[in-house]
Structure formats: C-alpha cells, structure tokens
Amino acid sequence: MRRPGRVRFWLALGAVVVLGILPLALVVKKAAGAGDIFWETVTSADALDALFATLRLALGTTLVALLLGAPSAWLTTRTDVPWKGFFRTTLTLPYIVPPYIAALAWITLADPAIGFLNAPFDSGVFDIFSMHGLTWVMGLSFYPYVFLTVRAALESADPSLEDAARMSGAGPWRVVKDVAFPLARPALISSGGLVFMATASAFGAPVLIGNRAGIDFLSTRIFDLWSDDLGGIARASSLSCLLFAFALIPMLLRGRHHAVLTGQASQPTLVRLGRARRPVQVGLLLLVLLAVFLPLGAIALTACLRVAGDLSPSNFTLSKFADVLGASENGRALWTSLWLAAAAATIAVALGFLIAWLQVKTRRRGRHLLAGLAALPLATPGTVLALGLFLLWVGPVRLVYTVWILLVAYVAKHMALAARALAEGIGAVDDALPDAARMSGAKGWFLFRTVWAPLVLPSIVAGWFLVFMPSFSELTMSVILMGPDLETIGTRMYVMREYKSPTSASVLATVVLGLVIGSNLILRKLSGGRYGV
Amino acid sequence: MTAIHCRGLAKSFDGTVVLRDFDLVVESGAFVSLLGASGCGKTTALRLVAGLETPDAGRIEVGERVVVDAATGAFIAPEARRIGMVFQSYAVWPHMTVLENVAYPLRVRGVAKAQRESETRRILAVVGLDGLEERKPAQLSGGQQQRVALARGLIMEPDVLLLDEPLSNLDAKLRVRMRRDIRRIQQETGFTVLYVTHDQEEALAISDRLVILEGGEILAQGTPDELRDHPFLASEEASA
C-alpha cells in the first residue's frame, strides 16, 4: 500500500544516517577493530589521568553552574529583587558566547604574567592556567543552562502551589524548601546533567587553558593522539568510545535538551527580601559583572591595545582592527565562516523541516527513531564526531581537507537544533490547513511554498539562526578537520592564541561576538522574544 | 449514476478499530449525511474518501475512477481526486486574503490571473461574500470564514463535495441560515454532497439520505422520512 511520505522518510533517514550516524559507527568500528590497542589505550596511565581530569572538571563545573544558576533563577522569578528584567537578560548572555571566547577573555584577565587582574600585584595572584581556573571559566559559561531551565520550571509551575503553602503557615524559606525546590528538582537534574555532558565534551576552553596548565582531558587527548601518526587514529578512536560513553551518562538521567524558550510570565506572590534586598541585588550585579561585563570588556579592551597587558594611555589604538581584518588570511577565514555557516543553516533547515514534519504530522513507524538519530550528533562530543567524519570522508568519496567536510560537520552537528524549532512551529499548524490545500489540488513544492512556508516562517527563521550562530563560531570540529589553506574564524583565533598575538585573537573574538550578539538580536526580534536571549 | 462507491472499508489507528465493513453508495447529485456521535467513525469515512487517510481494507470509487484499493495497492493522491472539501475548522489560510484563499485551487491548476479573479468573484457572489475580496480571515466572522471555505471547495466545480461538520462552530441562528444556503447552492449546481454531522435535526433537515454510524459500523440508512422513527434518533431526542 502506498503511504504518503514514504520516499521522504527514507530520504531523511538516509541523510541523517550518512551525516551523523555512519561517522559514529566508524569510530566504534575502528576502536573495536583495534583489538589490543583498544585496551592498551583505554587503560593506559595517560588515559586514566585524562579520564580523571575530565571527571573532576565536569563535576566541578556542574557544581559551580548549579550554585550560580539555581539561586539566581529563583531570585529573579520569585522575589522582589530590583532590576529583574535587567538581570534576566544579562544573566542569560553567556549562553550565546562560545566557551573558548570566554576562555580567551579570562586568559587576558588572569594570565599570571600579563593578566589585567594581576596588574596591581607583583606576582600573579590569579592563575587561570589551573584546574580551578578552567572550572571557573566553564562554570561561568555553562550556568545559563541551569538558570534558563530552572527559571522556565518555576515560571510554568502554578504559583498557587506556593501560595497554598504560605496560607498553610509556611514562611518564605519553608516554601522554598518544601515546594519550590521539589518543583524545580527535575529542572536541576536535567540541566545539571546537560552541563556535565557539555563540559566533558568541551574542547576549545580545555585546550586553551589545559595545555598551558599541563592538564590533559579526554577531548584534548583524543586530538593529540589523532595528530600523532597512523596508529594514532586507532588510539584516538578507542579513547573516543570512552569519552562518548562518559558524556552520554547524564542522558540516562532523562536530561532533556535545552531550548531557549521564554516561558510566559505568571504572577506569583513575590517573596519580600526586606533588608536583604540590597545585598542580593549587589550579589546578582557581581555575578553579571563576572560572567558578562568583565570578560567581554577584557576582550574588547585587549583588542584596542598595541601590547597586551599594558594599560597606559599611549598603548591604546584602534589600528589593530584594520590590521587584523585587513590581513588576507583573516579576511578569507571570516568569509569562509560566514558562507559556511549560512549554507549549513540553510541545509539544516531544509532537512530539519522534513524531519520535524515526519515526526509531528505523520504516523509513520520509525518517525521518533528518525528524530532521535538526528539529535545524536548534537549530544556527541565534537572531537568524536569530527574523528568519525574524517574516517568516513577520507574515501571513497574524498572530502577531507576540503571546505565541504566542514559543511557536512556543521549540518550534522546542528541539524537537531533546526528540527526542534521547526517541530514546534509545525506542531502549531492545524492539520486542516495543509489538508485543505491538498484537497484544492496542491502538492509537493507548491504546497510547501504557498501554505507551509508562510505558516511556519517564524520557526524557519529561528531554526536558521539557531544553526547559523554555533556554526559560525564553531571551533572543535573546525580545528580537527582543518587542512592546509582551510581556516575558519574559530581556527584563526586558535592558531593566533597558540602561536602569535593575544591582541589579534581578541580583535577576531570581538568581531565574532558582535556578529553572534547581532544575530541573536535579530532572532529575538523576528521571533517576538520566543527564541534568543 | 453513482458518484461515490465504498466497498468493505476498514480502518484502525494504533490497533483501535474506528471503521469496519463500511459500504456506501452515493448517487450522483444526492445529498447524503453521515450521522453519529463523536468517535463513531464518520469523519474517518469522509477522510478516506478524500484520500487524507488510506484504508486498511476495501476500495473506493469516485465517479468512474478507483481512487483507492487496499487489495491492489492502487491509490490516487488527494490532490489528484478533484474532490472539494470543507473542514470543521474552516481551514481558511490566515496569510491569504479572501480572494487568494478562494482562488487557490485555480492557482494550483495554473489558471491565468484575470480568469482566476473573475471566476472567484462569481463564486463569492454565490456564497454571498461579494465586497470582502481583500479582507484577511482574521477580519471575518465565523460565518463569513465558513463561506470562504465553501467557496474554495466549490470553485473548481467538483463532482463531489465533502463537508466535515461545517456548521458546528456557528451559532444556532446562523446554522439554520447556512444550511439552507448550502442546500440551495447544491440544488442549483447539482453536485454530490457527502456531509458529516452529529446534529440529527440538521441531518434530517438537509439530506436526501442519512447513514447512521455507531462504533465504526453502519447502524441504519434511509431517507429522512424512513428514519424519523428509528430508535437511535428517538433515544438521542430523549436524552437531549
């Protein structure tokens, strides 16, 4: 029996498998085929050290993120702390700043030799090149996951639940303990799991800080092994399997992936902070300062200096912008990143639409499996996915060391972001609207163009930007997959930080931040505040 | 002549049988209603005829054509069946004007713009919407949106028009007026109507013939006069 959508289903499944599943399967196959090398690699002292360091970093970061994110979420939804709107926006900002840029920023702030924060002291008081330093940077980068998830949970919870506890005689703190905290517990668990996973998978910040600190993590170790020699690929694959399993542990906690949705504001009875109102406000301001203004300011400031670390007036200049952006390799890298991200976003939206439509509007068996498979690469550490893509595209169709493998990588990694946004938009369309068009004789592309596209346009735009932003600033896969003459804005920054000048890296970081924040504003405007921060 | 011929249709969703042994013959030009409570399978039967669902068993002919046959796997897509349909929720596209909504089936078929507009204006006059061509659906009342949906179903002059509870979202007074209008237009134009409703008064007033469905099976069928004293209708009246 002919079923509508059969061809499309197999098309989408084929695309998802080739883009994201086959590469992962190849990593597993490579590791399994390595035999003794697998056990030798996984049980080597290096690997165990890296595993232990990754565990420490992930747990520490999760703790920092929970301690920063959960209280600030409660304070900005349930109390009468002043400047709530300001805090809600600014505290979410780190969400859109790539962690490696935060790491660059904190290096300019707390480098023991030339960091701004160490300027008043003779010897370096703050040392970012340490486990504590890295945990601090990652915690400040990832606490918005907790903040957003807990805030959404509190906002969607019926305020009368808490009011009822008040009326039963419970004081404000009792209400938090007995009602608000249990209500937020699923959000704490899922967002904590997410932070754990994101930290264990992270590559950029750990490599920038860990290298100088002499600490290896699983992700950076995979990168080192891989660039070693021929036998390195088998070793890297072996370690990838370990990292993959490790990073997916939190999924068992039913960690739902984040969605930057602004929940509708309900109006609960606010807890009066009384005399604590000012101190709490100052505390939140301090967090905003540390998480947003200090690092972003440091990046912008460094971009305006002739020599890093020297704040004397004669050292200020804007000429660096012209120099750095005028350099042909930087201009080329910027252009490459822009068109790659735009192309990846366009392809991901097209594929994401198909996946979302199949999942939401058909009753095909396997539609949920399709959506699940499409989401797997997003949950996979970038190092592992990049390794798999390398193994797949080294032949017979050879894409390695070309720009096309980056396009494939960006689409594979981020297609789930587009699919998720589109599933929401498509789900909101009454079935009768496209059905009426079919009964009028429309089908295929015409049906899509005249009815679907206009109706889900906001989700199409949101999905596009949700893929564009992380693709534009992508570092992990780009560094691993870049070849000679193949550079993106992210790899330029990486190379500059490693070998050349922190001020040049800061100039590029400022440009990336400007573009990402600009895209975010457009996204927020176009989606009416539904997406974006 | 026969307009719609269903034989042995069966359909289940996720293991739940919603329609079984469904046989129906609708003569050309007739107005036939499928009557029953929600969940009786009447909308599923209509959607099978439309092609928006595919049957697990059975076959359907529309006019001379076999549009679906579970035994042979034959299937004509809904957009190729040349059947008009009016939905319960009207399904008027919010991003198009009244004119664009109604002209859509002609646009699909590549009819030239000038001819499209004159055709559309003519059909809008028939349903009593002349003068509202440039309005967006949001600026229309429920009754007006219903007329847009009706006009859109009629514009390609289909042999068969399917109506899925078209009046259930209108207030009582408007409902009576709309059903007279639908009946009048049908008698003037002579197309065949398959009409789904849960309102027995409506079904008795408007139809040439009624088919009563319960639990996915046909309970009875006949003319309004034959069925007026049927226990199903009597029990409903008693409970109402």
Side-chain angles (χ1 to χ4, degrees), chain A residues 423-444:
Chain A
E424 252 184 62
I426 291 172
V429 173
D430 179 2
D431 282 345
L433 294 173
D435 280 352
R438 298 193 71 193
M439 295 313 294
S440 304
K443 62 177 177 181

Side-chain angles (χ1 to χ4, degrees), chain A residues 102-194:
Chain A
L104 284 178
W106 278 95
I107 290 172
T108 63
L109 280 166
D111 184 310
I114 55 166
F116 292 128
L117 296 179
N118 287 318
F121 311 103
D122 285 340
S123 62
V125 172
F126 300 102
D127 183 2
I128 199 67
F129 298 110
S130 64
M131 186 59 111
H132 287 119
L134 182 55
T135 307
W136 173 247
V137 171
M138 302 289 275
L140 282 180
S141 284
F142 287 150
Y143 82 84
Y145 287 28
V146 179
F147 179 74
L148 285 168
T149 314
V150 173
R151 205 180 79 186
L154 288 174
E155 277 174 352
S156 63
D158 183 355
S160 64
L161 294 174
E162 282 159 84
D163 290 344
R166 303 285 310 255
M167 299 316 289
S168 312
W173 301 112
R174 197 65 207 270
V175 174
V176 171
K177 186 170 81 69
D178 292 346
V179 181
F181 184 73
L183 281 177
R185 193 156 44 204
L188 287 171
I189 292 173
S190 73
S191 62
L194 198 64

Side-chain angles (χ1 to χ4, degrees), chain A residues 31-385:
Chain A
D36 291 344
I37 295 181
F38 177 81
W39 291 111
E40 191 192 307
T41 310
V42 172
T43 56
S44 69
D46 281 354
L48 290 179
D49 282 350
L51 176 67
F52 188 61
T54 305
L55 187 65
R56 267 180 67 197
L57 178 65
L59 285 176
T61 301
T62 306
L63 191 68
V64 172
L66 285 173
L67 287 178
L68 295 178
S72 49
W74 182 77
L75 287 167
T76 53
T77 45
R78 287 292 196 263
T79 71
D80 62 346
V81 69
W83 299 3
K84 266 203 214 78
F86 168 77
F87 286 132
R88 279 154 173 264
T89 307
T90 49
L91 285 175
T92 319
L93 263 180
Y95 188 85
I96 56 166
V97 177
Y100 72 89
I101 289 187
L104 284 178
W106 278 95
I107 290 172
T108 63
L109 280 166
D111 184 310
I114 55 166
F116 292 128
L117 296 179
N118 287 318
F121 311 103
D122 285 340
S123 62
V125 172
F126 300 102
D127 183 2
I128 199 67
F129 298 110
S130 64
M131 186 59 111
H132 287 119
L134 182 55
T135 307
W136 173 247
V137 171
M138 302 289 275
L140 282 180
S141 284
F142 287 150
Y143 82 84
Y145 287 28
V146 179
F147 179 74
L148 285 168
T149 314
V150 173
R151 205 180 79 186
L154 288 174
E155 277 174 352
S156 63
D158 183 355
S160 64
L161 294 174
E162 282 159 84
D163 290 344
R166 303 285 310 255
M167 299 316 289
S168 312
W173 301 112
R174 197 65 207 270
V175 174
V176 171
K177 186 170 81 69
D178 292 346
V179 181
F181 184 73
L183 281 177
R185 193 156 44 204
L188 287 171
I189 292 173
S190 73
S191 62
L194 198 64
V195 172
F196 184 93
M197 197 163 90
T199 312
S201 311
F203 172 78
V207 81
L208 287 171
I209 292 175
N211 268 6
R212 285 267 303 266
I215 310 171
D216 270 338
F217 300 93
L218 285 177
S219 58
T220 59
R221 191 84 199 107
I222 291 168
F223 180 55
D224 289 344
L225 283 174
W226 179 78
S227 42
D228 265 358
D229 52 47
L230 267 178
I233 289 190
R235 289 176 199 281
S237 300
S238 306
L239 214 49
S240 290
C241 290
L242 188 65
L243 173 58
F244 191 37
F246 188 65
L248 287 184
I249 292 172
M251 272 199 151
L252 300 177
L253 299 172
R254 294 182 165 273
R256 234 166 32 88
H257 227 287
H258 56 287
V260 198
L261 296 179
T262 316
Q264 60 188 28
S266 45
Q267 205 41 264
T269 316
L270 296 178
V271 172
R272 290 171 182 281
L273 292 171
R275 262 179 312 183
R277 204 158 167 248
R278 288 294 158 196
V280 164
Q281 185 188 10
V282 171
L284 286 176
L285 261 180
L286 196 67
L287 179 57
V288 171
L289 189 71
L290 286 173
V292 182
F293 292 123
L294 201 59
L296 297 192
I299 287 273
L301 195 61
T302 307
C304 301
L305 296 179
R306 258 181 256 279
V307 181
D310 178 4
L311 285 181
S312 56
S314 64
N315 194 34
F316 279 85
T317 175
L318 283 178
S319 63
K320 276 277 177 187
F321 277 89
D323 292 352
V324 172
L325 295 179
S328 65
E329 65 267 32
N330 291 334
R332 226 176 18 238
L334 186 63
W335 173 241
T336 306
S337 282
L338 272 176
W339 81 255
L340 265 181
T346 308
I347 296 170
V349 162
L351 183 56
F353 187 94
L354 198 54
I355 295 168
W357 177 77
L358 286 162
Q359 191 194 359
V360 180
K361 290 295 184 202
T362 69
R363 280 189 296 265
R364 269 205 79 83
R365 250 204 313 269
R367 66 193 193 278
H368 294 304
L369 178 74
L370 174 68
L373 288 178
L376 194 62
L378 187 62
T380 306
T383 31
V384 181
L385 184 59

Side-chain angles (χ1 to χ4, degrees), chain B residues 93 95-105 107 133 136:
Chain B
W93 300 303
H95 58 290
M96 297 184 196
T97 62
V98 168
L99 190 78
E100 287 167 336
N101 260 287
V102 176
Y104 188 83
R107 195 175 140 208
E133 288 85 354
K136 281 286 179 75

Side-chain angles (χ1 to χ4, degrees), chain A residues 401 406 477-484 486-488 491 494-495:
Chain A
Y401 306 127
L406 289 185
M477 297 186 296
S478 312
V479 165
I480 293 176
L481 294 171
M482 77 175 166
L486 174 53
E487 289 192 289
T488 67
T491 66
Y494 174 78
V495 170

